[in-house]
Amino acid sequence: MNEWVNSILSIVIVLVFLVGLEQIGKRLGWTDETIRKSVHIAVGHWSLLAVWLMETWYVAAVPLVFFTFANAFLLYRVRHPSTRPNGNRSAPSIIRLPCS
């Protein structure tokens, strides 16, 4: 299959997995912080796997760039307190960390 298609499918799979992880966490009574940490661990493992499975690094970087911009958009659009530590609207580390 085309590597670019794999990259797009990777984004879809991760989105489905993250929604599922959040729903499972809510049903099991996890705190918002536990769900957030679980999501970060899962995405971290996925990013290592994506770089390993795809032939070229720049195709593997497409989903990472997508999620960085998604975080930037959600950080300033969503007003839910769990998206910002201590309710701080200017928490840019959610954008800086994926960029590094």
Side-chain angles (χ1 to χ4, degrees):
M1 195 181 295
N2 185 348
E3 200 171 18
W4 290 99
V5 173
N6 288 342
S7 184
I8 301 300
L9 285 175
S10 176
I11 292 172
V12 172
I13 290 169
V14 168
L15 288 174
V16 168
F17 183 76
L18 294 180
V19 169
L21 184 61
E22 183 174 358
Q23 294 304 313
I24 289 170
K26 286 180 180 179
R27 287 188 182 177
L28 294 177
W30 295 354
T31 64
D32 286 343
E33 185 67 16
T34 303
I35 294 172
R36 188 180 73 81
K37 292 290 185 181
S38 299
V39 165
H40 285 140
I41 291 168
V43 170
H45 284 89
W46 162 79
S47 66
L48 294 174
L49 186 63
V51 172
W52 181 65
L53 288 176
M54 299 194 191
E55 294 177 19
T56 53
W57 67 268
Y58 53 86
V59 175
V62 168
L64 301 173
V65 170
F66 170 80
F67 286 115
T68 300
F69 283 110
N71 279 339
F73 176 77
L74 290 175
L75 178 68
Y76 294 106
R77 289 289 190 183
V78 177
R79 297 183 186 271
H80 193 273
S82 67
T83 61
R84 297 179 311 272
N86 302 326
N88 182 4
R89 190 170 169 89
S90 63
S93 62
I94 197 169
I95 297 162
R96 285 195 311 253
L97 293 176
C99 291
S100 65

